[in-house]
Amino acid sequence: MLMSEDSVKVAVRIRPLVRTEIERGCQTCLDVIPGESQIVICNTTKSFTFNYVFSPDVSQEEFYNTAVKNMVKNIFQGKLCLVITSYNVTILAYGQTGSGKTHSMGTNYVEAENMGVIPRAVNDIFDMILSKEDWNFKVTVSFMELYQEQLYDLLTDKQRNQSIVDIRDDGKNIKIAGLVEKEVKNATETLDCLTQGSIGRATGATAMNAQSSRSHAIFTLCIYQHKKDDLNTATTAKFHLVDLAGSERSKKTQATGERFKEGVNINKGLLALGNVISQLGEGDPTAYVGYRDSKLTRLLQDSLGGNSITLMIACVSPAVFNTNVLDYNLDETLSTLRYADRACKIKNKPVVNQDPKISEINRLNKLVQELKLALVDQ
Ligand code: ADP
Ligand code: MG
């Protein structure tokens, strides 16, 4: 069994201001204390400490290499050094709509240096498979959408209203009846599934007069492996990559009718997820864990806790119109940080430096680095 502090990690990622925010004169309400994994709300002493905190200038590559790469390696290493039957990894992106979840996860696959976690992890997995010549592997991929407590298969050829699948629970493993689990031989085939599913998700949302940000997208790889000539070493690992629905609260968006119902279901799922993760973090194996409180947590039941590793990526926007008042966006950002804080077992550190302003120090540090690089180039 893994230690509870190893089983759940939280990474907060601050996205940069987008063009329209800069044009509207928005300012940044978040600062990062370098080397401290600490995030500070500007003009306050309010701060949070996490396993990782990434500032807006961190590239997709740096983000992946720092927070995710080792988890992917563990899918394989765990098999070799521990006697276990399954070793699951779950990565979840949480945050309000527009905070950078899809960008960070790479759910809408883009190539090259801007690609997110999913394509990078897929490439690493197949590189590792190729390097393990004395092992046999079989990889399958599935892609689901959870909308209004209904699970849809994004890889089926069926019409949307016939693509509904359901969770079966044999007390140990979670199985999804009727779900397409496509065997894939390489990264290209896997990423084709990601593209196909993402297109289907967008079309499905339009057909239902909804937005894809109102559903959870769950991309899953199952990796079966055994040492050649030794079936006793056979194991299965599930790797879930989840782009969660926007966490903004429906009361605030003044939604009514269908939109309000959507919000209630989303909140229910996210609340249950937060409860489960924080209960697991308590590390008491006898404690009741509320997996059955929502479809999202039921679905992930065998991949949270136990011999699983979870990374929550909490995405936040730094944009505010005025750093002195509590505006809508800051309120949502704070709510995400509080949610992530509950999931994180690290104790908050007091703010170490407020004066002079941390952002000014960060800016100057960056400038020094750039000047150093410019000197080297000459
Ligand atoms: P969400 O999925 O949470 O709704 P998106 O991932 O779609 O949010 O991001 C909203 C916008 O911000 C997009 O235009 C996206 O390209 C941009 N964005 C998000 N995170 C970053 C980042 N780290 N660097 C650059 N642009 C980003
Ligand atoms: Mg999104």
Side-chain angles (χ1 to χ4, degrees):
M1 184 75 95
L2 291 160
M3 297 296 287
S4 60
E5 60 263 33
D6 293 331
S7 62
V8 179
K9 290 215 158 79
V10 178
V12 170
R13 187 175 197 192
I14 310 171
R15 73 149 163 77
L17 292 179
V18 293
R19 193 171 50 84
T20 48
E21 288 166 345
I22 296 169
E23 283 167 7
R24 281 155 61 210
C26 286
Q27 292 170 282
T28 289
C29 67
L30 300 172
D31 281 320
V32 177
I33 301 183
E36 294 279 334
S37 302
Q38 194 169 9
I39 193 165
V40 183
I41 318 298
C42 292
N43 298 339
T44 72
T45 52
K46 212 178 273 210
S47 77
F48 297 87
T49 308
F50 296 101
N51 299 97
Y52 311 97
V53 174
F54 295 96
S55 52
D57 56 353
V58 168
S59 67
Q60 294 280 66
E61 184 182 17
E62 187 180 345
F63 176 75
Y64 176 81
N65 286 345
T66 312
V68 185
K69 202 174 177 79
N70 274 332
M71 294 179 75
V72 176
K73 276 192 197 153
N74 278 335
I75 293 177
F76 295 90
Q77 281 165 358
K79 304 294 178 203
L80 299 174
C81 58
L82 295 172
V83 186
I84 48 178
T85 52
S86 87
Y87 193 74
N88 298 335
V89 174
T90 301
I91 301 182
L92 308 144
Y94 179 95
Q96 67 167 311
T97 299
S99 58
K101 297 180 297 296
T102 300
H103 176 85
S104 293
M105 292 303 283
T107 324
N108 299 334
Y109 173 50
V110 281
E111 266 180 86
E113 83 264 21
N114 227 359
M115 67 190 177
V117 164
I118 301 178
R120 282 175 203 274
V122 165
N123 284 331
D124 272 357
I125 283 171
F126 282 97
D127 281 353
M128 280 182 245
I129 286 177
L130 274 179
S131 73
K132 292 189 179 298
E133 286 172 6
D134 49 346
W135 285 72
N136 273 339
F137 289 92
K138 179 181 160 195
V139 182
T140 65
V141 55
S142 60
F143 198 3
M144 283 175 283
E145 180 174 30
L146 179 55
Y147 177 69
Q148 297 271 47
E149 289 298 270
Q150 199 85 271
L151 260 181
Y152 297 89
D153 187 346
L154 291 173
L155 294 185
T156 175
D157 295 329
K158 291 180 192 156
Q159 293 286 318
R160 172 125 185 135
N161 57 5
Q162 284 168 4
S163 70
I164 295 172
V165 286
D166 209 8
I167 303 172
R168 299 281 156 81
D169 171 359
D170 68 4
K172 192 156 170 270
N173 293 305
I174 297 295
K175 288 253 176 295
I176 314 291
L179 180 71
V180 171
E181 293 179 77
K182 196 162 184 266
E183 186 172 349
V184 281
K185 295 281 176 223
N186 51 44
T188 310
E189 281 181 25
T190 313
L191 295 175
D192 282 348
C193 293
L194 180 66
T195 309
Q196 181 200 334
S198 291
I199 294 170
R201 185 178 175 218
T203 333
T206 314
M208 287 189 300
N209 193 22
Q211 281 168 347
S212 58
S213 66
R214 310 303 287 155
S215 69
H216 310 293
I218 303 130
F219 186 77
T220 305
L221 296 173
C222 278
I223 300 155
Y224 308 87
Q225 53 185 324
H226 67 86
K227 230 176 172 156
K228 283 182 183 159
D229 311 321
D230 186 3
L231 280 171
N232 290 327
T233 57
T235 51
T236 304
K238 270 192 207 174
F239 184 22
H240 291 298
L241 296 123
V242 187
D243 189 341
L244 291 166
S247 60
E248 56 276 4
R249 281 151 298 172
S250 47
K251 237 193 251 156
K252 279 225 218 113
T253 54
Q254 296 182 334
T256 53
E258 256 331 90
R259 288 293 93 83
F260 180 75
K261 237 168 66 192
E262 273 178 0
V264 170
N265 279 321
I266 293 168
N267 292 351
K268 189 172 136 194
L270 295 178
L271 183 70
L273 178 69
N275 288 342
V276 164
I277 292 179
S278 98
Q279 283 156 359
L280 291 173
E282 302 294 331
D284 176 1
T286 59
Y288 165 80
V289 181
Y291 289 114
R292 302 193 75 85
D293 294 349
S294 76
K295 259 204 181 146
L296 181 63
T297 43
R298 270 195 75 201
L299 180 68
L300 298 173
Q301 177 160 353
D302 61 0
S303 306
L304 296 169
N307 280 314
S308 308
I309 310 177
T310 303
L311 173 71
M312 185 197 286
I313 305 171
C315 297
V316 287
S317 152
V320 283
F321 276 109
N322 184 336
T323 49
N324 293 317
V325 293
L326 197 68
D327 83 348
Y328 169 83
N329 217 13
L330 178 53
D331 208 16
E332 284 299 338
T333 294
L334 272 174
S335 142
T336 297
L337 292 174
R338 286 197 196 101
Y339 185 94
D341 185 50
R342 267 191 79 210
C344 186
K345 287 300 121 204
I346 293 183
K347 288 254 181 316
N348 280 316
K349 296 179 197 154
V351 180
V352 283
N353 199 345
Q354 274 282 284
D355 186 31
K357 234 176 145 277
I358 296 150
S359 50
E360 184 59 12
I361 299 176
N362 283 344
R363 192 184 67 77
L364 291 173
N365 275 341
K366 219 174 137 201
L367 194 65
V368 169
Q369 263 176 13
E370 280 167 13
L371 289 172
K372 274 188 189 159
L373 281 177
L375 273 177
V376 173
D377 281 349
Q378 275 179 3

